[in-house]
Amino acid sequence: MADITQTASSSLLDRLDDAALASAAPTHIELMRELRIKQKPGWTSRLSPSVAAFVTNKKGMAGVIILLAMILFSILAPMFSEYNPHRRAGKPHVAPSYEHVLGTTRMGKDVYTQVAYGGRISLAVGFGAGIAAAAIGLAIGISAGYFGGRVDDILTFFVNVVLVLPGLPLIIVIASLVDSAGPLVIGIVLALTGWGWPARTIRTQTLSLRTREFVLSAELMGEKKWRIIFKEIFPNMLSFFMGGLVLGTISAILAEAALSFIGLGDPNAVTWGTMLYWAQNNMALQTGAWWEIWPPAVAIMLTGAALVMINFAVDEITNPQLKASRGIRRIKRFLRRRGRSADVF
Amino acid sequence: MLYILRRVAFYLAAFFVAVTLNFFIPRIMPGDPSARIIASFQGRLNEAQIEAIRASYGTTGSMWEQYLGYVGQVLRMDFGISTVQFPEPTSSLLFYGATWTLVLVGIAITFAFLIGTMMGIHAAWNRGGFFDSVFTPINVMLNAFTPAVVALLLFYAFSLQLQWFPLGRAHSTGLSPSLSFEFIGNVLYHATLPVLSILIVSFGGWHLGMRNVMINLLNEDFVILARAKGLSDRRVRYRYVARNAILPQITSLALSVGFLLGGALVTEQVFNYPGLGKFTVTAIESRDYSFIQAQLLLLTMSVLVANFLSDIANVVLDPRLRKG
Amino acid sequence: MSSDRALLEVRNLTVDYVGEHSIARAVNGIDFDIREGEAFGLAGESGCGKSTVAFALARLTRLPGLVSGGEVRLNGENVLKFDKARLKAYRWNEVSFVFQSAMNALNPVIPVAEQITDVIETHNPSLGADGARARAEELFELVGIPPSRLDDFSHQFSGGMRQRICIAIALALNPRLIIMDEPTTALDVVVQRDIIEQIVDLKAKLGFSVLFITHDLGLMIEFCDRIGIMYSGELVEVAPSEAILTNALHPYTRALGNSFPPLTGPRLRMEGIPGSPPDLRSLPQGCRFAPRCPHAMDICRVENPELRLYPEHRSQAACHLLN
């Protein structure tokens, strides 16, 4: 029996003919080399396993980088712009030029300044509502799952009600009653209507955690309930909380854009949604002023795409099965070289 | 049976929560709701309209009496008089718009569900392959694109520039509704772009949902057993995996109805399509509160009905639920 | 009742689990035969690789598992190199499988009948739907379930009945080998007995071989003709089952036997052996059991012993103490 820790002097593929290759077992090192598996980068060793899994996840990190770029852009860019997003900065519908990098709107406002500045509000509304909805969902989901019984029945009823109440129409009712629905009002209403999904997921997870040994033993040791919730259950819910946060943020950004687009928002506020609203009202596409509509649209799409990528990474960490590893192709090649069909995957 | 009864009880309760919210939201705002609404029209209302608003907010009597009165109205499907299309009753406008929205969302949801689910099955079965690595992320990202932009682009490219599709309306003005091929064809022609724009931003969700549930099921012993039995790939994929994975998909299909109806709002606005969303936007602009409130109740009702249908589908498809 | 002719020859079978940043060698080059009509048992602590072996024999290894080397020979043909058509014929005609948890082995939303008839119709299309149905009824009677219940769903059966149904499915095509991966672990003791007795009866009647995997060493000794003991992905001893308790050659086998309370106590307890198996991602040099072995010598920490036949005991073992 070959000792698998020994180093191979030459590649197995070179040493053996086809027939022998088919049944010879490669050593550990040879297999690592043939499947091109690299050891975990050393710098991640100090991180907790799930954080390390996230920072080495390409999709997730690409999402984080795009998102950070969007955030930095919306924080910093208005500082370097000489224009005021609310004021006329030039002639109407000037095409992109040196003075106006992304042109001007029909009102003569600078589009570049508006996109950057609008990002502050759109992102703040999105993240604010997403974080708040995930936090409400976390609190309600853990309480329902952990305390069970009557508490669970009542909370689950409300979770189900929030899930079946159509969010956007409800927001329209509320927003149309206040004089003008500014970003803050929209954000609050989105948070109050968006916690159904995270609450449901987290409740299910808590239920399955509740009967696990470490929770039961903590109970037997006489730990206080709130301590068990914070020390034993909460850490295991972090990734589900993150998932809820990311999805909540996407839907809040999209909902803000939709509400502003149909004219429910405060038309004087500058957000990506109101920019689209004005572009549509000003017939930007019809008059060929593509630069009025594309920048806010691309900003929303990029943010959405970045959040989707982060969500992919979070999903893959909570459920490693979902990770369609590139390794599959290498394993298929490994088998094909040895005359074996890659049938069961 | 018990299961269905329990669900029905929940739907009734959920509907009452929506009715109660609808009743209290205008009343927790400071001031007398009807006075606020009347004031917002800045004297552009006649006596009859003012009377209609007062009546629909029934500000006489105790809160409890007002509430009971409101519930009675809702149960009679009496949503008051529209202040915009005065003196049309709100309910007739509502049902007219709802019909066209149903056409749009109905077609879009069917195709999105079928396309997304089939793609999800394919992606899960060949996970890690080319299709899965390229289209799974792309399709899901389309989900995060704002419906407004997709609708505007389609409208600009195919209606304005290429002029392949009409600029608005649900059917040509010369045609009167009938069950003829000509009329139905005309309706479908007008619905193509709006349906497409809802479809584009929604099928990715079904793709991802089906893919993830399928991948989890691939670990189940009964799937491994099906493979060990030497059954054909097709049979394992559809009869043993997709058959089970479709169950949670149906539940989320019902829950997504509310979201899609909300999305139709923007689409109808862009394509000038005479659905519920278009009327709602008009109602918002003209502060027609009785319509705005009624659309919430109608949409809630449709979500509840969709959920009820999905419960029945689940009972039919899942023998475990037929136990009790 | 078993002959000496080998039905399935396993040679240098190696299975790896391929992770994102590491590879764990779950089965490291093991050799054994399953003879015709024999019940062969694989025992060992959980994680020792015994189920992995069972899956590899049935060509069911799935990602992240990879059979990276070795051969599984059936009448001189290498099972691992079967193409699609040959594999289809191999499956269920020659080797069938009974899983640990009958709860999950039946699809909950398909009637049980279909899960029997589909395998019959796939492999014997000439039988037709009626023929397959008749065979399914026959199989139900064989395992003692009224055929009238064929159209029920799995949740309508008790745990024991479900496992009988799984055995009926496994018998559908009269296979030459049935792999049973902990077939009774999820059942209570009384039902366990019934099922085992039934398997013994059926085996006597139909003459198939069995690869039997369980934690329950007592049950295994009673049921099997020969037993292989696995430790950390390697076979450390292969012996006639009566020798496992009385005449064990390998210190690990002896430790397993000692930690097994005779007569009472249904499950094998592993706490009797101090320490835990090595990390399969980075294995120590030498014998894998050496760190836990009370008799470890210097050579044990340097060289990994090979499995050798000791004819006087009719056993094979891999241990330096024996040389």
mmCIF file with all atom_site columns, all heavy atoms in Angstrom, chain A residues 113 129 140 216 332:
data_model
loop_
_atom_site.group_PDB
_atom_site.id
_atom_site.type_symbol
_atom_site.label_atom_id
_atom_site.label_alt_id
_atom_site.label_comp_id
_atom_site.label_asym_id
_atom_site.label_entity_id
_atom_site.label_seq_id
_atom_site.pdbx_PDB_ins_code
_atom_site.Cartn_x
_atom_site.Cartn_y
_atom_site.Cartn_z
_atom_site.occupancy
_atom_site.B_iso_or_equiv
_atom_site.pdbx_formal_charge
_atom_site.auth_seq_id
_atom_site.auth_comp_id
_atom_site.auth_asym_id
_atom_site.auth_atom_id
_atom_site.pdbx_PDB_model_num
ATOM 1  N N   . THR A 1 113 ? -23.848 64.440 -11.416 1.00 0.00 ? 113 THR A N   1
ATOM 2  C CA  . THR A 1 113 ? -24.022 64.851 -10.028 1.00 0.00 ? 113 THR A CA  1
ATOM 3  C C   . THR A 1 113 ? -25.273 64.219 -9.430  1.00 0.00 ? 113 THR A C   1
ATOM 4  O O   . THR A 1 113 ? -25.270 63.762 -8.284  1.00 0.00 ? 113 THR A O   1
ATOM 5  C CB  . THR A 1 113 ? -24.137 66.379 -9.943  1.00 0.00 ? 113 THR A CB  1
ATOM 6  O OG1 . THR A 1 113 ? -23.137 66.945 -10.762 1.00 0.00 ? 113 THR A OG1 1
ATOM 7  C CG2 . THR A 1 113 ? -23.983 66.866 -8.524  1.00 0.00 ? 113 THR A CG2 1
ATOM 8  N N   . ALA A 1 129 ? -33.888 50.014 4.860   1.00 0.00 ? 129 ALA A N   1
ATOM 9  C CA  . ALA A 1 129 ? -35.071 49.148 4.891   1.00 0.00 ? 129 ALA A CA  1
ATOM 10 C C   . ALA A 1 129 ? -34.655 47.680 4.957   1.00 0.00 ? 129 ALA A C   1
ATOM 11 O O   . ALA A 1 129 ? -35.265 46.896 5.690   1.00 0.00 ? 129 ALA A O   1
ATOM 12 C CB  . ALA A 1 129 ? -35.944 49.399 3.666   1.00 0.00 ? 129 ALA A CB  1
ATOM 13 N N   . ILE A 1 140 ? -38.341 38.226 15.314  1.00 0.00 ? 140 ILE A N   1
ATOM 14 C CA  . ILE A 1 140 ? -39.601 37.479 15.329  1.00 0.00 ? 140 ILE A CA  1
ATOM 15 C C   . ILE A 1 140 ? -39.367 36.011 15.014  1.00 0.00 ? 140 ILE A C   1
ATOM 16 O O   . ILE A 1 140 ? -39.933 35.125 15.664  1.00 0.00 ? 140 ILE A O   1
ATOM 17 C CB  . ILE A 1 140 ? -40.595 38.132 14.347  1.00 0.00 ? 140 ILE A CB  1
ATOM 18 C CG1 . ILE A 1 140 ? -40.994 39.474 14.935  1.00 0.00 ? 140 ILE A CG1 1
ATOM 19 C CG2 . ILE A 1 140 ? -41.800 37.239 14.107  1.00 0.00 ? 140 ILE A CG2 1
ATOM 20 C CD1 . ILE A 1 140 ? -42.102 40.172 14.242  1.00 0.00 ? 140 ILE A CD1 1
ATOM 21 N N   . LEU A 1 216 ? -29.787 22.002 23.973  1.00 0.00 ? 216 LEU A N   1
ATOM 22 C CA  . LEU A 1 216 ? -30.393 21.239 25.065  1.00 0.00 ? 216 LEU A CA  1
ATOM 23 C C   . LEU A 1 216 ? -29.476 21.197 26.281  1.00 0.00 ? 216 LEU A C   1
ATOM 24 O O   . LEU A 1 216 ? -29.917 21.371 27.415  1.00 0.00 ? 216 LEU A O   1
ATOM 25 C CB  . LEU A 1 216 ? -30.707 19.811 24.596  1.00 0.00 ? 216 LEU A CB  1
ATOM 26 C CG  . LEU A 1 216 ? -31.819 19.708 23.550  1.00 0.00 ? 216 LEU A CG  1
ATOM 27 C CD1 . LEU A 1 216 ? -32.010 18.261 23.124  1.00 0.00 ? 216 LEU A CD1 1
ATOM 28 C CD2 . LEU A 1 216 ? -33.123 20.285 24.078  1.00 0.00 ? 216 LEU A CD2 1
ATOM 29 N N   . LYS A 1 332 ? -14.482 15.082 -14.281 1.00 0.00 ? 332 LYS A N   1
ATOM 30 C CA  . LYS A 1 332 ? -14.932 14.385 -15.493 1.00 0.00 ? 332 LYS A CA  1
ATOM 31 C C   . LYS A 1 332 ? -13.735 14.073 -16.389 1.00 0.00 ? 332 LYS A C   1
ATOM 32 O O   . LYS A 1 332 ? -13.649 12.987 -16.959 1.00 0.00 ? 332 LYS A O   1
ATOM 33 C CB  . LYS A 1 332 ? -15.950 15.245 -16.250 1.00 0.00 ? 332 LYS A CB  1
ATOM 34 C CG  . LYS A 1 332 ? -17.325 15.210 -15.598 1.00 0.00 ? 332 LYS A CG  1
ATOM 35 C CD  . LYS A 1 332 ? -18.382 15.869 -16.459 1.00 0.00 ? 332 LYS A CD  1
ATOM 36 C CE  . LYS A 1 332 ? -19.748 15.695 -15.826 1.00 0.00 ? 332 LYS A CE  1
ATOM 37 N NZ  . LYS A 1 332 ? -20.750 16.613 -16.366 1.00 0.00 ? 332 LYS A NZ  1
#
